[in-house]
C-alpha cells in the first residue's frame, strides 16, 4: 500500500485504553469497540476506514457492524496489532 493511500484513509483502533497505551499506531484514532455505536458520527463516509484490534476479531465485528449501518469503505486489518508488531520485529503478546 502506498503512503498516499493511508493518508487519504482513517485508522480506527477498537481496543481498550490500556491496550492502546501499551502499543498503538501513531496514525490511529482510539474508539473502543463498545463506543462505536455512539461515535459513528466521527467516522468518514468518503474515505477508507481501516479497523484494528489485538488480533483482528473485534475489528472484524466492528467492520460487520459498520457495513450493516451504511459504511461501505471499511477494511479489517487481519491479524491486528499482533501482525503489525511482527512486521516491525517484535512480539505483541
Amino acid at each position: 500500500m502506498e503512503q498516499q493511500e493511508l493518508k487519504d484513509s482513517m485508522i480506527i483502533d477498537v481496543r481498550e485504553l490500556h491496550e492502546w497505551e501499551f502499543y498503538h499506531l501513531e496514525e490511529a484514532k482510539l474508539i473502543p469497540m463498545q463506543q462505536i455505536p455512539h461515535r459513528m458520527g466521527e467516522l468518514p463516509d468518503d474515505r477508507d476506514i481501516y479497523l484494528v484490534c489485538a488480533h483482528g476479531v473485534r475489528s472484524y465485528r466492528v467492520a460487520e457492524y459498520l457495513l450493516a449501518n451504511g459504511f461501505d469503505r471499511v477494511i479489517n486489518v487481519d491479524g491486528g496489532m499482533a501482525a503489525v508488531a511482527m512486521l516491525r520485529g517484535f512480539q505483541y503478546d
Side-chain angles (χ1 to χ4, degrees):
M1 175 177 303
E2 295 180 19
Q3 188 72 8
Q4 185 63 30
E5 288 181 55
L6 277 180
K7 185 177 179 185
D8 294 336
S9 62
M10 182 177 223
I11 302 170
I12 302 296
D13 191 324
V14 300
R15 297 174 300 153
E16 297 298 319
L17 180 60
H18 68 277
E19 295 172 288
W20 167 269
E21 290 174 341
F22 174 70
Y23 179 67
H24 66 271
L25 298 171
E26 293 298 321
E27 309 88 356
K29 177 176 184 169
L30 176 65
I31 304 180
M33 181 180 183
Q34 298 301 322
Q35 295 179 17
I36 291 290
H38 309 290
R39 296 179 62 186
M40 289 190 339
E42 298 174 38
L43 303 176
D45 59 3
D46 61 344
R47 296 189 292 160
D48 291 336
I49 302 170
Y50 288 87
L51 298 166
V52 65
C53 65
H55 297 280
V57 177
R58 284 175 283 180
S59 55
Y60 178 81
R61 294 189 192 280
V62 172
E64 287 182 321
Y65 179 81
L66 292 177
L67 288 167
N69 282 277
F71 290 86
D72 60 355
R73 296 180 66 177
V74 177
I75 300 113
N76 181 46
V77 177
D78 290 332
M81 291 304 295
V84 171
M86 186 180 300
L87 287 172
R88 293 185 172 181
F90 68 94
Q91 181 102 16
Y92 173 74
D93 55 2

